Amino acid sequence: MWISKSQMVAHAWTTLQYLSWQRVWNVFLLLSSFYWSRMLGRPHIKGTPWSLSVEPSGQCNLQCPECPVGAGVLTRKAGMLTPSLFQKMVSDSGPQLAYLNLYFQGEPLLNRQIEEIINIAREHRIYTSMSTNGHQLTPQKCEGLINSGLTKLIVSVDGLTRESYSRYRKGGDLEKVKQGIRTFIRQRAALKSKTPFLVVQFLVFAHNEHEIPELKKWCRNMGVDKLELKSAQFYDFGNEEVKPPSNNKYSRYYPVRDNQLTLKGKPYNHCYKQWGSAVVSWDGQMAPCCYDKDLDFSPGNIRNQTLKTIWKNGSLHQFRKQILKDKSALEMCRNCPEGRQWII
């Protein structure tokens, strides 16, 4: 990882502006109910989600082999989030909602109303982060994102050469992404804005790990605020065209044995995500977490219920109960690193 210290300080100050006693108290309630549930061995919930991951778009312009959308394995319909549904979502959440991750599946910038959506979050003083593959970062789009009030922008750059980049980002154009990043940095400077904080994210694979030193230099020279080296996740539907890196510190798995990938760490029957955050698809369907890609465990839809009602309904209660009893019984949890390192 690499980060600009001056930009880090500026971003930390920006982040503090989103705090309120109401939000801090809500997080305290969520944490206390999480630990209380673990002590009792049964779910107990106080507070409402402090964080939401929202899906602006269920569609994508790339075909990344380890992505459910790119690989074409999702069975649910794809579409676009509307500002009106997003407004309901935010209003339902109340002032306790502090953080919005504008990404679940798909490419957020394919949603032509994304700036209006971000503006709604700004009106409610909510920290907003968005992850993109960077192909839609035109001058007009960059200016719109900066003026909309987006707090953090994450751009995926998974290779420094056309060959290494296209190995995973199928259908992508590396030069177009690089140009988009340059445009964004110029536009932000011209508008004299400190936000969005710009993060370049690099998924580390066996075929691109040798590019990390050069990538750090490139980010410094470009004026990127932060470089994040992220461990890649692998699924059964993957075509094995990409593989985990040889450097074990960049992998979330133990070294491959008998062609099997095993997550690092010992699993424990807990997961704070179920006591602190939730996921909402483009059409309002709620999910317990981002690993429920096909919404198999959806407890309801915010179109016809309030988010707070769904948050405490029987379906999510049973899901939390299963997490505390035997998380490994849930297939989607077996490939998730959450709760594997804590020993409490």
Side-chain angles (χ1 to χ4, degrees):
M1 186 183 76
W2 173 85
I3 190 168
S4 163
K5 292 181 180 179
S6 61
Q7 283 297 93
M8 178 184 68
V9 172
H11 183 62
W13 175 249
T14 298
T15 302
L16 287 174
Q17 310 308 305
Y18 294 98
L19 292 180
S20 67
W21 285 112
Q22 194 169 17
R23 288 173 178 176
V24 171
W25 177 247
N26 182 58
V27 170
F28 171 78
L29 291 176
L30 292 169
L31 279 170
S32 59
S33 63
F34 168 63
Y35 286 110
W36 185 245
S37 297
R38 289 178 59 187
M39 288 174 62
L40 296 178
R42 61 178 184 272
H44 174 75
I45 191 75
K46 281 190 175 181
T48 56
W50 75 274
S51 167
L52 286 180
S53 288
V54 181
E55 185 177 68
S57 165
Q59 302 172 4
C60 190
N61 53 312
L62 302 184
Q63 298 84 45
C64 306
E66 294 294 337
C67 169
V69 175
V73 298
L74 286 187
T75 61
R76 61 186 176 93
K77 294 180 180 179
M80 300 292 174
L81 175 69
T82 63
S84 59
L85 183 59
F86 182 74
Q87 178 68 69
K88 181 183 186 304
M89 190 187 311
V90 172
S91 298
D92 282 355
S93 300
Q96 296 88 350
L97 182 62
Y99 181 92
L100 273 164
N101 174 32
L102 295 172
Y103 175 76
F104 175 30
Q105 300 297 297
E107 168 50 49
L109 292 184
L110 291 181
N111 189 321
R112 296 180 179 179
Q113 296 177 296
I114 190 65
E115 294 153 35
E116 186 177 347
I117 288 169
I118 298 169
N119 251 310
I120 292 170
R122 178 171 64 175
E123 290 170 0
H124 288 265
R125 291 186 61 251
I126 301 172
Y127 183 110
T128 49
S129 174
M130 186 174 67
S131 182
T132 174
N133 60 44
H135 285 77
Q136 279 72 42
L137 291 176
T138 62
Q140 182 180 8
K141 181 59 67 177
C142 288
E143 183 177 356
L145 290 175
I146 295 164
N147 289 331
S148 69
L150 183 67
T151 318
K152 181 168 73 172
L153 179 67
I154 303 169
V155 184
S156 296
V157 182
D158 304 322
L160 275 184
T161 67
R162 183 174 297 179
E163 181 182 9
S164 64
Y165 178 81
S166 61
R167 182 84 170 265
Y168 181 67
R169 296 289 170 180
K170 300 289 186 183
D173 184 337
L174 176 61
E175 291 308 313
K176 189 174 184 178
V177 176
K178 286 182 176 180
Q179 183 56 47
I181 292 172
R182 292 189 192 98
T183 300
F184 175 84
I185 293 171
R186 284 199 302 266
Q187 291 275 54
R188 190 179 63 177
L191 293 169
K192 298 181 180 180
S193 176
K194 296 292 185 181
T195 56
F197 185 75
L198 177 62
V199 178
V200 164
Q201 180 177 276
F202 187 83
L203 283 176
V204 185
F205 297 103
H207 69 269
N208 67 5
E209 59 184 315
H210 66 281
E211 297 179 331
I212 292 174
E214 187 62 30
L215 178 68
K216 291 180 180 178
K217 294 179 184 177
W218 183 81
C219 286
R220 286 193 190 99
N221 293 335
M222 285 289 295
V224 169
D225 300 328
K226 183 180 180 181
L227 166 65
E228 287 184 349
L229 303 175
K230 186 177 180 181
S231 60
Q233 186 175 6
F234 293 85
Y235 294 93
D236 292 338
F237 58 74
N239 60 10
E240 298 186 1
E241 188 173 351
V242 291
K243 299 181 183 300
S246 58
N247 189 331
N248 201 38
K249 77 175 183 178
Y250 297 128
S251 177
R252 66 179 68 185
Y253 303 94
Y254 288 119
V256 178
R257 296 178 182 176
D258 302 322
N259 294 321
Q260 294 294 318
L261 289 175
T262 305
L263 276 175
K264 294 176 181 176
K266 181 180 178 181
Y268 294 91
N269 291 324
H270 62 75
C271 176
Y272 174 65
K273 286 184 177 181
Q274 309 313 316
W275 276 261
S277 61
V279 175
V280 185
S281 68
W282 66 270
D283 58 351
Q285 203 71 22
M286 197 160 153
C289 82
C290 61
Y291 279 75
D292 189 11
K293 313 292 186 184
D294 235 335
L295 307 178
D296 296 319
F297 296 95
S298 176
N301 195 303
I302 66 165
R303 288 181 182 274
N304 43 50
Q305 299 179 70
T306 66
L307 188 143
K308 290 181 179 179
T309 299
I310 299 174
W311 178 246
K312 294 187 177 181
N313 72 12
S315 179
L316 264 185
H317 179 83
Q318 288 302 315
F319 189 86
R320 294 186 183 109
K321 187 175 181 180
Q322 181 62 57
I323 291 289
L324 295 170
K325 180 181 179 182
D326 181 13
K327 190 170 69 169
S328 64
L330 298 167
E331 184 178 354
M332 73 178 192
C333 296
R334 297 174 198 157
N335 199 24
C336 174
E338 182 70 25
R340 298 186 70 86
Q341 304 299 330
W342 298 359
I343 307 176
I344 298 176

